[in-house]
Amino acid sequence: MKENEKIMATDLENISGGMVVYAQGLPEFDPVCPWEVVENNNCRLLGKFTNRDDAIKYAKSFGPESYNAQETDIATVNRLRQNPQGNG
């Protein structure tokens, strides 16, 4: 993960978990780090990665829930960003 893309420790306690998305088509897309982990309830960007495996490993660090590290698509990310769930 890029050093400047890390989430601050104080923010971690409010994260509900992470989904994985190949970000081509999202405004923040970076071809060097095309895989992203986004927060489950509002798709806030949590980290960018050069490969899918690293993104999955990071997403799983948010807990054992089955939705952590679930791969999602651009349409879902955009929908949740427009209509956040929970504390989004």
Side-chain angles (χ1 to χ4, degrees):
M1 179 168 66
K2 287 182 166 180
E3 193 64 31
N4 62 347
E5 299 293 339
K6 288 186 178 177
I7 297 293
M8 301 299 294
T10 54
D11 292 331
L12 287 174
E13 60 194 46
N14 297 320
I15 294 174
S16 64
M19 295 187 293
V20 175
V21 62
Y22 185 77
Q24 187 172 14
L26 292 175
E28 72 276 6
F29 177 69
D30 178 355
V32 174
C33 293
W35 289 94
E36 294 182 2
V37 174
V38 294
E39 192 169 350
N40 289 334
N41 63 1
N42 60 15
C43 288
R44 175 176 62 131
L45 178 63
L46 300 176
K48 294 182 177 188
F49 300 85
T50 57
N51 63 69
R52 182 177 176 270
D53 290 342
D54 287 346
I56 288 172
K57 182 178 177 181
Y58 184 68
K60 285 182 176 181
S61 74
F62 293 104
E65 293 82 4
S66 61
Y67 53 78
N68 284 333
Q70 176 181 326
E71 201 165 328
T72 192
D73 58 31
I74 300 298
T76 300
V77 170
N78 285 328
R79 186 182 77 249
L80 286 172
R81 285 181 176 175
Q82 291 174 2
N83 301 294
Q85 307 298 307
N87 295 329

